[in-house]
Amino acid sequence: MKNLAVFSSGFGSNLQAIVNSVKKSKVKANIALVISDNVDAYSLVRAKKAGIDFLYADPADFKDRTSYDKFIVRRLKKEKIDYVVLAGFMRIISDYFIRQYKHKIINIHPALLPSFKGTQAISDALDYGVKVTGVTVHFVTSTLDGGPVILQSALDIKDDDTLISLSERIHRLEHKLYPKALDLLVNGKLLVKGRKVFVKR
Ligand code: GRF
């Protein structure tokens, strides 16, 4: 069984969705570790409640990004982590980290990439006035929000949508899509060729 480390800086609803999917054996993997850069992250409470080992590492304790990531990677190797799952982790991952886990780090983004990159994707899509937005799961590369796309799912923006109503629908979609992508990943079903990701049958 593959070992996962889930990274989350905040509320951790995606972490919860993954925990639930693992419990129901919809994703056959072991969540070995939850990592956060935010001591107040609710995701740490979720990890504790689920009986999952967790680590809080304060970026202020490290001289730069690479030394922070070297510390994290040492722990990942110690725990024999196979895949890194970013779920609302608000830090940029260094090239060092990416090289250590090539095509083994995935992220979820609340828009249809390459549209609306960055941290305000839901409100950016709403403000832009697009009629369709959605969710993207992708591999993490050194290009921010630019790695090969694994899965996407779309939804319509309604005329009376607010940031709250749209965010709710986006999150619901995320909670379905992320476990689906993880299931493919841990079963070795994803083949990356350049920018493209193929699902093996
Ligand atoms: C999600 O919208 C995800 O797409 C983005 O950060 C948010 C995290 O939400 N990367 P949560 O902490 O999982 O509730």
Side-chain angles (χ1 to χ4, degrees), residues 8 10-15 87-88 107-110 171 174:
S8 162
F11 187 55
S13 68
N14 281 285
L15 165 66
N107 183 45
I108 188 154
H109 184 79
H171 292 316
E174 288 185 329

Side-chain angles (χ1 to χ4, degrees), residues 13-67:
S13 68
N14 281 285
L15 165 66
Q16 193 64 55
I18 296 164
V19 167
N20 297 346
S21 303
V22 166
K23 266 193 198 149
K24 288 184 202 152
S25 293
K26 286 187 178 171
V27 174
K28 291 189 186 63
N30 172 42
I31 308 171
L33 190 60
V34 168
I35 294 185
S36 187
D37 60 336
N38 170 16
V39 70
D40 296 322
Y42 189 62
S43 50
L44 293 173
V45 177
R46 293 183 194 273
K48 202 169 178 183
K49 281 189 181 161
I52 301 166
D53 215 1
F54 57 89
L55 168 70
Y56 157 62
D58 185 354
D61 291 342
F62 298 83
K63 73 171 190 320
D64 55 24
R65 191 177 300 285
T66 307
S67 37

Side-chain angles (χ1 to χ4, degrees), residues 7-17 43 46 86-90 107-111 118-119 121-122 134-136 145 167 170-171 174-175 178:
F7 284 53
S8 162
S9 302
F11 187 55
S13 68
N14 281 285
L15 165 66
Q16 193 64 55
S43 50
R46 293 183 194 273
L86 305 182
F89 191 59
M90 301 311 283
N107 183 45
I108 188 154
H109 184 79
T119 56
I122 304 177
V135 171
T136 303
D145 294 331
S167 299
I170 290 275
H171 292 316
E174 288 185 329
H175 302 158
Y178 218 2

Side-chain angles (χ1 to χ4, degrees), residues 20-183:
N20 297 346
S21 303
V22 166
K23 266 193 198 149
K24 288 184 202 152
S25 293
K26 286 187 178 171
V27 174
K28 291 189 186 63
N30 172 42
I31 308 171
L33 190 60
V34 168
I35 294 185
S36 187
D37 60 336
N38 170 16
V39 70
D40 296 322
Y42 189 62
S43 50
L44 293 173
V45 177
R46 293 183 194 273
K48 202 169 178 183
K49 281 189 181 161
I52 301 166
D53 215 1
F54 57 89
L55 168 70
Y56 157 62
D58 185 354
D61 291 342
F62 298 83
K63 73 171 190 320
D64 55 24
R65 191 177 300 285
T66 307
S67 37
Y68 183 88
D69 284 0
K70 280 190 170 160
F71 170 78
I72 299 283
V73 166
R74 262 203 306 278
R75 179 68 187 263
L76 298 180
K77 299 254 156 113
K78 191 172 158 229
E79 309 273 350
K80 301 195 166 25
I81 298 298
D82 298 293
Y83 296 108
V84 171
V85 182
L86 305 182
F89 191 59
M90 301 311 283
R91 275 178 70 77
I92 291 171
I93 302 284
S94 64
D95 287 350
Y96 166 79
F97 191 160
I98 292 166
R99 276 198 307 274
Q100 299 295 314
Y101 283 89
K102 190 166 184 241
H103 292 155
K104 290 186 171 171
I105 310 174
I106 65 170
N107 183 45
I108 188 154
H109 184 79
L112 294 175
L113 290 172
S115 291
F116 308 114
K117 295 179 176 182
T119 56
Q120 306 298 323
I122 304 177
S123 58
D124 287 350
L126 192 61
D127 293 347
Y128 194 92
V130 290
K131 304 297 183 193
V132 174
T133 186
V135 171
T136 303
V137 179
H138 64 94
F139 283 108
V140 172
T141 62
S142 51
T143 312
L144 192 64
D145 294 331
V149 170
I150 300 170
L151 292 178
Q152 288 185 307
S153 188
L155 57 75
D156 290 332
I157 297 184
K158 300 174 191 162
D159 289 347
D160 60 354
D161 257 326
T162 61
L163 183 55
I164 293 175
S165 64
L166 182 58
S167 299
E168 272 172 12
R169 295 212 309 292
I170 290 275
H171 292 316
R172 246 182 277 143
L173 211 54
E174 288 185 329
H175 302 158
K176 281 193 206 151
L177 199 70
Y178 218 2
K180 219 186 253 181
L182 264 173
D183 177 51

